[in-house]
Amino acid sequence: MTEIATASYDVIVCGSGVAGLSAAVRMASAHDRALKVCIITKGELSQSATTWAQGGVAAVLGGDEDSTDLHLADTLAAGAGLCDTDAVRVLVDEGPICVRELIELGAEFDRESSGSLSLAREGGHSRARVVHAGGAATGYEVERALVEATRSSASKIYEDVFALDLLVADGRCQGVSVRLADGTIEEVRARHTVLATGGVGQLYWVTTNPAEATGDGLAMALRAGVAVADVEFMQFHPTALHHPAMPRPLLSEALRGHGALLRDGSGQQFVDELAPRDVVSRAMAKTMAAEGSDHLWLDATGLEEFDLRFPNLAASLAEIGIDPGTEWIPIAPAAHHLAGGIITDLDGATSLPGLWAAGEVACSGVHGANRLASNSLLEGMVFGARVAEQILADNTGPDATGVMRPLLDAPGGVGTVTLEVPAPLGLDQLTGDGEGSVPELRSWLQRAMTTGAGVVRSAASMAEAAQVLAELDATLAAHGRLEPAWLELANLVTVGQALLAAATARAESRGNHVRAEYDGTDEAWRVRQVLTTTPR
Ligand code: SIN
C-alpha cells in the first residue's frame, strides 16, 4: 500500500480551481479547528480552467448606483426562468465578502488611480460591477493567490493523481479510488469528499476550455447515481478568436463592455453587444448560417489604450499578426461553460451524504439556463466557502434518503431523464488492449458533439452524435485502459451521453439550449431535468 492509501485525512478535495481551493484553504487554515485536507488533481496544482478565466468576478463592491438586488435581477434574467432565486440571493450577497477575503489572501485586482477597484461592464449586466486583474487575466491572479495559500495550508497535495470513482458504502461517500502516476490503483478515504473538478468543454472541438476539462467529477457522480441536472445548458461564448489554436483564445466580454462592436460579413451590426451571452451566440449562429460563413467580426478599433488595458489579449493577437487598433478580429462562438451539474443545496451538499460539490461541476441553481458573465469565478468562491463551513461544522448534508430541498419553484416542477451508465472505472471497466489512437477518438467525439449539439441542435443532429458516442462506448469496452487519456475519453463519453439525453428530451429553446425545431421557450418546459441513472 502506498502513502496515499494509508494516510488519514478529514477531507479530500478533488480539483484545484477556484471552488476547490477556496474550500481547501478555508478548511485547512480555520483557527482552532483546522482540518487535515488533501487535494487530488490530475495535473499540477495550478492547472485548472480558473487560470484561463479572463473577464473577472461580478460582485457589488462599488458605488451607490449598483445594488445586490440589481445583480440578482440581472442573473435571473440571463438564466431564462430556470435560476433558483434563493441560490442567486446567496451568490450576490456573499460574493462581495468573498472578493474581499481573496484580496486579504493576496489577490491583486486592477484599481483606478484613486485606489478604488476598477469595475467593468459585461453582457447582461445593468451596471459596471466586474472586478478584474491584469485587464483580462483575472483567473490567473485568483488561481495564483489560492495556490500560494493552499501550498502553505493543505496537509497534502497529490498532483498527477487521477480520481477514478467515488467510494460509496452504508449510504455515504467514503472517499475516492485513484490511479497514481505509476499506474497503481488505490483508495483514499475521508469523512468528507468535495468534488470541484470543473467543466466539460472538451466535449467540443471548438472550446475555450483547457485540455483538462473532461467532466471527470460529473462522470463520477453519474456512475455513482448522484443526482445531476441541467446538463443540456452548455454555454457558448460568442467571441472566441476564429483561429486553429486550441483551446480557442477568448476575447473577453469586457471588450464589448468597453465598446467593441460585433459586425457581420458586410460590416453591419446585428445584435446588441451587451445582451446576455445566449442571445449573442444565437444571433451569431443565425447570421453565420445566413451568410454561409464560419466566422464574424469583433471591431475593437474604437477602444482606447487596448494594449494597456488588455495586455494579455494584445499579446495573443500580436502573435498571430492582428492589430486590434486598425483591424477587425475574426470571431466565432466556442463551448465555454456548463450551467448544470451535480445538484447541490445552498451549502454544496449533494444527494449523497458525505459528498459535496462546488463550482462548475455543481448545479447550485445560480445559472439556470444561461450563466451571466463573470458569475462563475464568483460561484466557485461563494459555494466553495459554504461547503467549507458545513464541513468545519461536521454536517453531512442530506440524510441517507438523499432528500434535498427542491431547487426550483417552477410551474413545471422537476422532470426526469434516464441514462444508462457504466460500472465504476477500475472494477470491470477499461481492461482492454489499449489499441487505437485516443487523440483521434477524442477528436471524433468532439466533432460529433460540435455538429450535433452545438449552439443550435435538433433531434436528428443529436441522434447522429449519440450514434458516435455509442460506437465510442463499444471501442472503450474493447480497447480502453486505465490510463489518463482513456479515462478522460470514458468520462467524456458518459457526460456527452448525459448532455445529449437531456437536450433531446427538452422540446423547446431556452437560454443556452437552442432547438432548430422549436422556436422560443414554452412555459410548460420551465422544468429542471434531473438525470436518473441505471447501471448498464
Ligand atoms: C469573459 O471574459 O468574457 C469570460 C468571463 C466569463 O466567462 O464569465
Side-chain angles (χ1 to χ4, degrees), residues 39 45 71 104 114 159 196 228 251 269 339 387 405 422 450 490:
I39 325 278
L45 192 63
H71 188 184
E104 278 166 30
S114 63
E159 295 175 307
V228 162
L251 293 157
Q269 286 176 255
V387 164
R405 84 190 168 98
T450 297

Side-chain angles (χ1 to χ4, degrees), residues 54-56 122 237 250 252-254 277 336 371 373-376:
Q54 290 192 356
E122 292 183 359
H237 195 295
L250 188 60
S252 174
E253 198 147 326
R277 231 167 244 182
H336 186 60
R371 173 177 67 84
S374 285
N375 266 359
S376 58

Side-chain angles (χ1 to χ4, degrees), residues 52-58 122-123 125 130 135-138 208 235 237-239 250-256 277 313 336-337 371-377:
W52 293 71
Q54 290 192 356
V57 188
E122 292 183 359
H125 288 276
V130 177
T138 314
T208 61
Q235 180 174 76
H237 195 295
T239 56
L250 188 60
L251 293 157
S252 174
E253 198 147 326
L255 292 172
R256 279 176 281 141
R277 231 167 244 182
L313 303 186
H336 186 60
H337 179 275
R371 173 177 67 84
L372 185 66
S374 285
N375 266 359
S376 58
L377 291 176

Side-chain angles (χ1 to χ4, degrees), residues 46 51 105-108 138-149:
S46 60
T51 305
L105 211 63
E108 290 187 24
T138 314
Y140 183 87
E141 177 58 11
V142 167
E143 185 74 7
R144 184 202 60 73
L146 285 169
V147 162
E148 218 165 90

Side-chain angles (χ1 to χ4, degrees), residues 279-298:
V279 175
V280 178
S281 285
R282 210 183 288 199
M284 287 177 69
K286 200 169 152 200
T287 306
M288 290 192 294
E291 287 183 354
S293 66
D294 59 0
H295 66 280
L296 297 165
W297 301 98
L298 183 69

